[in-house]
Amino acid sequence: FCPLRATRERHRALDDVMQECRVATQRLGPGTTTTLTLEAFRDPTWVAGFADLILRGNDRFSWQLGARCEFLSKDPALLKKLKAAGLAEIYLGIECGTEEMRARVQKPMSDREVGDAIEVLKKTGLTYTLSFITGFPWEDETYMQRMSDCLRRLSSSPLCLDVRLSRLIPYPGLPIEKMLV
């Protein structure tokens, strides 16, 4: 149920998403339904409403969210509510191993915001997956060592389910592609 983008962000109807989750759970089993949305915590009204709908009904399924660290760490009470509604995992797109590299690729998350996000996930007992990109032309041996240290530190919790390393693919039109050209 990713936000639809045009001139403004908007979400699909909660009842429609819930019905699709019910069908998927019915056909595939209760442990197989996953739902992913990115930037759900920029304005958490929709995802909080989705959790309320689950908690009010008899629906039980496992689902996931993608999140930006700078928004996630603001409301641990909401995370506990989402966990009670079946949220099983948070996918964190951290992208780069240093604050400086994130700023350079226009993902200006501070190291403190990343650390705060991990800490709030630990406090709420939510599992998480970390996602990083490698292959930026500015990477050097020092950066790779710092990225390796960052990966080790952030993934050291048993709540970290996975670390995903993706190779840079500078799709046309993205800011990174314009920088490389």
Side-chain angles (χ1 to χ4, degrees), residues 88-91 121 125-129 158-161:
E89 180 183 355
I90 299 279
Y91 178 92
L121 291 173
L126 277 165
T127 60
Y128 59 93
T129 288
L159 294 172
C160 182
L161 298 178

PDB file of all heavy atoms in Angstrom, residues 88-91 121 125-129 158-161:
ATOM      1  N   ALA A  88       5.714  -7.231  11.787  1.00  0.00           N
ATOM      2  CA  ALA A  88       6.774  -8.177  12.126  1.00  0.00           C
ATOM      3  C   ALA A  88       8.170  -7.632  11.857  1.00  0.00           C
ATOM      4  O   ALA A  88       9.133  -8.096  12.456  1.00  0.00           O
ATOM      5  CB  ALA A  88       6.582  -9.472  11.331  1.00  0.00           C
ATOM      6  N   GLU A  89       8.274  -6.662  10.952  1.00  0.00           N
ATOM      7  CA  GLU A  89       9.616  -6.229  10.548  1.00  0.00           C
ATOM      8  C   GLU A  89       9.568  -4.832   9.965  1.00  0.00           C
ATOM      9  O   GLU A  89       8.613  -4.446   9.308  1.00  0.00           O
ATOM     10  CB  GLU A  89      10.157  -7.201   9.494  1.00  0.00           C
ATOM     11  CG  GLU A  89      11.524  -6.872   8.991  1.00  0.00           C
ATOM     12  CD  GLU A  89      11.992  -7.818   7.881  1.00  0.00           C
ATOM     13  OE1 GLU A  89      11.277  -8.785   7.567  1.00  0.00           O
ATOM     14  OE2 GLU A  89      13.060  -7.564   7.338  1.00  0.00           O
ATOM     15  N   ILE A  90      10.635  -4.077  10.215  1.00  0.00           N
ATOM     16  CA  ILE A  90      10.838  -2.757   9.621  1.00  0.00           C
ATOM     17  C   ILE A  90      12.041  -2.858   8.683  1.00  0.00           C
ATOM     18  O   ILE A  90      13.077  -3.413   9.037  1.00  0.00           O
ATOM     19  CB  ILE A  90      11.142  -1.688  10.698  1.00  0.00           C
ATOM     20  CG1 ILE A  90       9.988  -1.559  11.681  1.00  0.00           C
ATOM     21  CG2 ILE A  90      11.475  -0.359  10.056  1.00  0.00           C
ATOM     22  CD1 ILE A  90       8.835  -0.724  11.229  1.00  0.00           C
ATOM     23  N   TYR A  91      11.871  -2.346   7.481  1.00  0.00           N
ATOM     24  CA  TYR A  91      12.932  -2.320   6.478  1.00  0.00           C
ATOM     25  C   TYR A  91      13.510  -0.907   6.465  1.00  0.00           C
ATOM     26  O   TYR A  91      12.798   0.058   6.186  1.00  0.00           O
ATOM     27  CB  TYR A  91      12.333  -2.678   5.114  1.00  0.00           C
ATOM     28  CG  TYR A  91      13.297  -2.654   3.974  1.00  0.00           C
ATOM     29  CD1 TYR A  91      13.984  -3.811   3.606  1.00  0.00           C
ATOM     30  CD2 TYR A  91      13.505  -1.501   3.232  1.00  0.00           C
ATOM     31  CE1 TYR A  91      14.858  -3.800   2.536  1.00  0.00           C
ATOM     32  CE2 TYR A  91      14.376  -1.489   2.161  1.00  0.00           C
ATOM     33  CZ  TYR A  91      15.052  -2.640   1.814  1.00  0.00           C
ATOM     34  OH  TYR A  91      15.912  -2.628   0.756  1.00  0.00           O
ATOM     35  N   LEU A 121      13.722   0.498  17.848  1.00  0.00           N
ATOM     36  CA  LEU A 121      13.308  -0.841  17.419  1.00  0.00           C
ATOM     37  C   LEU A 121      13.682  -1.871  18.482  1.00  0.00           C
ATOM     38  O   LEU A 121      12.900  -2.780  18.781  1.00  0.00           O
ATOM     39  CB  LEU A 121      13.931  -1.198  16.075  1.00  0.00           C
ATOM     40  CG  LEU A 121      13.393  -0.402  14.888  1.00  0.00           C
ATOM     41  CD1 LEU A 121      14.199  -0.701  13.635  1.00  0.00           C
ATOM     42  CD2 LEU A 121      11.918  -0.688  14.666  1.00  0.00           C
ATOM     43  N   GLY A 125      11.134  -4.213  20.542  1.00  0.00           N
ATOM     44  CA  GLY A 125      11.265  -5.627  20.189  1.00  0.00           C
ATOM     45  C   GLY A 125      10.930  -5.942  18.749  1.00  0.00           C
ATOM     46  O   GLY A 125      10.704  -7.100  18.406  1.00  0.00           O
ATOM     47  N   LEU A 126      10.932  -4.936  17.892  1.00  0.00           N
ATOM     48  CA  LEU A 126      10.648  -5.169  16.469  1.00  0.00           C
ATOM     49  C   LEU A 126      11.915  -5.575  15.730  1.00  0.00           C
ATOM     50  O   LEU A 126      12.984  -5.007  15.947  1.00  0.00           O
ATOM     51  CB  LEU A 126      10.073  -3.904  15.825  1.00  0.00           C
ATOM     52  CG  LEU A 126       8.595  -3.690  16.020  1.00  0.00           C
ATOM     53  CD1 LEU A 126       8.193  -2.266  15.678  1.00  0.00           C
ATOM     54  CD2 LEU A 126       7.801  -4.675  15.166  1.00  0.00           C
ATOM     55  N   THR A 127      11.773  -6.546  14.858  1.00  0.00           N
ATOM     56  CA  THR A 127      12.902  -6.959  14.035  1.00  0.00           C
ATOM     57  C   THR A 127      13.064  -5.987  12.875  1.00  0.00           C
ATOM     58  O   THR A 127      12.135  -5.264  12.515  1.00  0.00           O
ATOM     59  CB  THR A 127      12.711  -8.392  13.505  1.00  0.00           C
ATOM     60  OG1 THR A 127      11.526  -8.445  12.731  1.00  0.00           O
ATOM     61  CG2 THR A 127      12.642  -9.393  14.650  1.00  0.00           C
ATOM     62  N   TYR A 128      14.265  -6.008  12.293  1.00  0.00           N
ATOM     63  CA  TYR A 128      14.530  -5.067  11.207  1.00  0.00           C
ATOM     64  C   TYR A 128      15.531  -5.652  10.213  1.00  0.00           C
ATOM     65  O   TYR A 128      16.304  -6.550  10.517  1.00  0.00           O
ATOM     66  CB  TYR A 128      15.027  -3.727  11.755  1.00  0.00           C
ATOM     67  CG  TYR A 128      16.289  -3.792  12.582  1.00  0.00           C
ATOM     68  CD1 TYR A 128      17.545  -3.599  12.003  1.00  0.00           C
ATOM     69  CD2 TYR A 128      16.232  -4.043  13.950  1.00  0.00           C
ATOM     70  CE1 TYR A 128      18.694  -3.649  12.772  1.00  0.00           C
ATOM     71  CE2 TYR A 128      17.388  -4.098  14.725  1.00  0.00           C
ATOM     72  CZ  TYR A 128      18.615  -3.891  14.126  1.00  0.00           C
ATOM     73  OH  TYR A 128      19.751  -3.943  14.883  1.00  0.00           O
ATOM     74  N   THR A 129      15.463  -5.103   9.007  1.00  0.00           N
ATOM     75  CA  THR A 129      16.408  -5.399   7.940  1.00  0.00           C
ATOM     76  C   THR A 129      17.084  -4.092   7.561  1.00  0.00           C
ATOM     77  O   THR A 129      16.427  -3.052   7.475  1.00  0.00           O
ATOM     78  CB  THR A 129      15.683  -5.996   6.716  1.00  0.00           C
ATOM     79  OG1 THR A 129      15.269  -7.318   7.043  1.00  0.00           O
ATOM     80  CG2 THR A 129      16.571  -6.047   5.494  1.00  0.00           C
ATOM     81  N   PRO A 158      20.300  -9.241  17.848  1.00  0.00           N
ATOM     82  CA  PRO A 158      19.572 -10.414  17.330  1.00  0.00           C
ATOM     83  C   PRO A 158      18.270 -10.017  16.628  1.00  0.00           C
ATOM     84  O   PRO A 158      17.696 -10.817  15.910  1.00  0.00           O
ATOM     85  CB  PRO A 158      19.297 -11.268  18.572  1.00  0.00           C
ATOM     86  CG  PRO A 158      19.742 -10.502  19.741  1.00  0.00           C
ATOM     87  CD  PRO A 158      20.471  -9.288  19.298  1.00  0.00           C
ATOM     88  N   LEU A 159      17.835  -8.776  16.821  1.00  0.00           N
ATOM     89  CA  LEU A 159      16.628  -8.300  16.145  1.00  0.00           C
ATOM     90  C   LEU A 159      16.881  -7.957  14.675  1.00  0.00           C
ATOM     91  O   LEU A 159      15.947  -7.790  13.902  1.00  0.00           O
ATOM     92  CB  LEU A 159      16.051  -7.079  16.867  1.00  0.00           C
ATOM     93  CG  LEU A 159      15.513  -7.350  18.272  1.00  0.00           C
ATOM     94  CD1 LEU A 159      15.155  -6.041  18.972  1.00  0.00           C
ATOM     95  CD2 LEU A 159      14.322  -8.284  18.225  1.00  0.00           C
ATOM     96  N   CYS A 160      18.151  -7.845  14.293  1.00  0.00           N
ATOM     97  CA  CYS A 160      18.486  -7.586  12.886  1.00  0.00           C
ATOM     98  C   CYS A 160      18.386  -8.898  12.120  1.00  0.00           C
ATOM     99  O   CYS A 160      19.175  -9.813  12.322  1.00  0.00           O
ATOM    100  CB  CYS A 160      19.893  -7.002  12.762  1.00  0.00           C
ATOM    101  SG  CYS A 160      20.327  -6.617  11.052  1.00  0.00           S
ATOM    102  N   LEU A 161      17.392  -8.986  11.255  1.00  0.00           N
ATOM    103  CA  LEU A 161      17.154 -10.217  10.499  1.00  0.00           C
ATOM    104  C   LEU A 161      18.053 -10.363   9.283  1.00  0.00           C
ATOM    105  O   LEU A 161      18.399 -11.466   8.891  1.00  0.00           O
ATOM    106  CB  LEU A 161      15.698 -10.273  10.031  1.00  0.00           C
ATOM    107  CG  LEU A 161      14.626 -10.310  11.104  1.00  0.00           C
ATOM    108  CD1 LEU A 161      13.251 -10.322  10.466  1.00  0.00           C
ATOM    109  CD2 LEU A 161      14.815 -11.518  12.003  1.00  0.00           C
TER     110      LEU A 161
END
